[in-house]
Amino acid sequence: MPLAPLDWSLWLSPWVLGIFGLCIGSFLNVVIHRIPRMLERQWLHESAAQLTDAEAMARVIGVAPSETEKLAKAVDAYGTRIEALPRFNIVTPRSRCPHCGHQLRWHENLPLVGWLLLGGKCSACKAPISTRYPIIEVLTGLAFAGLSWRLGAQPTTLLWCGFVAALIALAMIDVDTQFLPDDITLPLLWAGLLAAAMGWTIPLEKAVIGAAGGYVSLWTVYWVYRLIRNREGMGYGDFKLLAALGAWLGSSMLLPVILLSSVVGAVVGTFLILFRGHKWEIHIPFGPYLVGGGLVALYVGPASLLELLGLLSLG
Ligand SMILES: [Zn+2]
């Protein structure tokens, strides 16, 4: 269904979407860096607000309010200080060098080109800029171009670009913080269900069963593991992420995604333990592997993926 009399084949061609992906990758770098810090500030602010309720605290613990008022007052002072902090969100303040505070000029901020022009160094203090930034930009560019190439230059390809962008952000935030924010997993889940309901992606029943099945399957693994080993193997964020993957890719892709991410997770985990001196008990975030499994499912396609997994299990 054409949305507007536009030449989609040009605007959504692999080249154009690839360049668009570079820009989105640049935006993702900001999201990956700032969302965890924004949430940390928000949580501390909320906790402070709750702790200032001296009466509730006294009631719960069963002591006189005079005992809890001292804490409430002290926490209130910190809460006020958090409120007074300068604004910090996705757009404010502008990007700066973490070493010297130099504010990036527009051409230094250009995706990939900015990093190349600077030779990977801050123009003011010459501190190296992590290669991670251009890598994420290139990765997102290639991912978008790949979608246009695989799904064709049509409007729904943009939806899948959004899906992939959210997955890249989630994987990197999980690597950095071992945490998958609800602020990304839940909208991604709802968007997947909505896109299916609109008839833009997969049949709705597959999306709904995929979402519910994704959540419940990992939830079950979590509780079985917890009852047997008495510790947590993964977090609730992983369930929500697999639910989102189920909503976008459908119920039939759940098992392949879980298998794929478990195999890759086990291989990488073993590598880290054997060659990088990690301990067995270390928490390795599962999110990046789920994302990897989901991306393979998306780009390789269901039929080829099932074939591939069949071959792996035979070999
Ligand atoms: Zn600098």
Side-chain angles (χ1 to χ4, degrees), residues 178 231-233 269 272-273 277-285:
Q178 280 85 54
R231 63 189 187 86
E232 298 176 8
L272 290 176
I273 289 159
H278 281 208
K279 294 198 182 82
W280 279 109
E281 301 296 305
I282 198 172
H283 176 81
I284 296 168

Side-chain angles (χ1 to χ4, degrees), residues 26 29-30 34 90-98 101-105 108-109:
S26 180
N29 277 322
V30 178
R34 292 193 185 182
I90 294 293
V91 286
T92 317
R94 288 189 52 193
S95 297
R96 285 172 184 281
C97 166
H102 162 70
Q103 188 173 299
L104 296 190
R105 282 169 294 214
E108 296 174 348
N109 232 336

Side-chain angles (χ1 to χ4, degrees), residues 34 50 53 59 106 116 118 150 160 181 213 237 286 291 297 308:
R34 292 193 185 182
Q50 283 179 327
D53 193 342
R59 193 170 59 240
W106 69 268
L116 290 175
L118 290 167
R150 178 151 171 68
W160 291 101
F286 194 44
V291 165
L308 186 74

Side-chain angles (χ1 to χ4, degrees), residues 44-68:
L44 283 176
H45 190 231
E46 285 167 6
S47 314
Q50 283 179 327
L51 287 173
T52 54
D53 193 342
E55 264 182 42
M57 179 77 100
R59 193 170 59 240
V60 169
I61 305 176
V63 295
S66 56
E67 262 189 66
T68 52

